Structure formats: C-alpha cells, structure tokens
Amino acid sequence: MATDEFMKQQFLTLRDEIRESKARIFWLLIIGMVLVMAAGYLAAEHPNAFANAAIPFLLLGLMLSFISEQNNIARAGRYLRETVEPRIESLMGWEHWLETKPRLREVDHSFVLGFSVLFLVFFAITTSLTLRQLDKQAHEAYVWAAAAAYALGAFCIAVVLWRHWRSSTAVT
C-alpha cells in the first residue's frame, strides 16, 4: 500500500511540475517580450554599443530559459509515462494516451520549433545591427569580440536545442 501512495504522490507532484513549467513559459514569453521591447527602445534612444550589444545576450538568456522549461515538461511527462503509469493496472494514463495519438504531440513540437525559429531570426537581426553599429564607430576589435561572443552563444543555444529536441522526441 505504501508503494501505491508513493506512486500517487509522484504522479501528483510531476503533474504540478508540468503545470508550473507551463505557467513559467507563459510568463517568460510575456516578460521576455517586454524586456526586448524596452531594450530596443533604450538602444534607439541611447545609441551606444552597450545598449545594442545587450539585446542578443538577453535573447540568449530567454531562449535558454525557454528550453529549460520545455525540457522540464518533457522529462516529467516521460517519467510519468515510463515509470508511474505502467504501475497503474487496467488504466491508460494521460502520457500513454498521448503517445497513441502522435498528431496531438505535433502542436507541442511545432510550438518549440516556431519559437526557436522566431528567436533565431530575431537573434540574427539584433546581432547584425549591433555589429554594424560597432563597425560604424570604427571599433574593429569590439566587432570581432562581439561577433565571437555571439557565435559562441548561438552555438551553445544550437547544441542545447538539438539535445532537447532529440531527448523530447526520442521513442523509448
């Protein structure tokens, strides 16, 4: 009986974690949009290299936070499907039911892909604008340093996104 209670508590805890991660993603997107707009406004009003240079890094941080929350959801769902739900006899759980209907998962994957593409496009635009502004001010060393930093950041995001995509779409 203690095992049944433990499994029930795991199920409830993980469902709460998924719910909380979805709420954090919502607020992350709202706050992220406000921060990016505010940073863009400040960069336009006070055209110095720092204001513009900060926007791509802000986007990198937002994207890492987004991927982290998505990964929390995927991990919790996978654990429910693979560990908790099989112990419930004669009942098909939510995660197993979703796995029998792959079309229902397409929206989740499309959302992550769409947000990632939007992020990458915006990241490319803000990065190129920043590098152009630094180039206009004849700071060649800053241009190369910023370009290297942005390239490393983009590479890190690509690796994290690739690993998240592979782990969340892998069939076990």
Side-chain angles (χ1 to χ4, degrees), residues 25-41:
I25 286 174
F26 172 78
W27 285 110
L28 179 68
L29 293 177
I30 298 298
I31 292 169
M33 287 188 293
V34 169
L35 284 174
V36 168
M37 288 189 303
Y41 172 77

Side-chain angles (χ1 to χ4, degrees), residues 47-140:
N48 63 36
F50 178 76
N52 278 332
I55 295 173
F57 289 117
L58 173 64
L59 290 168
L60 289 172
L62 290 170
M63 189 62 188
L64 283 173
S65 297
F66 173 76
I67 294 170
S68 173
E69 291 300 329
Q70 281 296 126
N71 200 46
N72 286 344
I73 292 169
R75 266 195 331 256
R78 172 162 283 155
Y79 185 80
L80 285 171
R81 185 183 75 239
E82 294 176 0
T83 305
V84 176
E85 290 180 356
R87 294 187 182 200
I88 304 169
E89 295 180 23
S90 71
L91 182 67
M92 181 182 287
W94 171 253
E95 296 297 329
H96 274 91
W97 180 79
L98 278 176
E99 288 301 313
T100 65
K101 311 223 180 309
R103 289 190 60 224
L104 298 176
R105 293 272 185 182
E106 290 175 7
V107 173
D108 295 333
H109 296 303
S110 297
F111 177 73
V112 173
L113 183 63
F115 184 75
S116 300
V117 168
L118 181 65
F119 158 78
L120 291 171
V121 167
F122 200 58
F123 177 78
I125 291 169
T126 58
T127 298
S128 67
L129 291 174
T130 299
L131 293 176
R132 285 187 58 192
Q133 182 184 19
L134 286 172
D135 193 39
K136 285 181 184 176
Q137 296 173 355
H139 297 288
E140 186 176 345

Side-chain angles (χ1 to χ4, degrees), residues 17-27 69 73 108:
E17 177 62 29
I18 290 170
R19 187 179 307 109
E20 290 170 11
S21 283
K22 286 185 176 273
R24 284 191 295 267
I25 286 174
F26 172 78
W27 285 110
E69 291 300 329
I73 292 169
D108 295 333

Side-chain angles (χ1 to χ4, degrees), residues 56-57 60 119-120 123 127 147-161:
F57 289 117
L60 289 172
F119 158 78
L120 291 171
F123 177 78
T127 298
Y150 295 147
L152 283 173
F155 177 74
C156 287
I157 289 291
V159 169
V160 169
L161 187 59

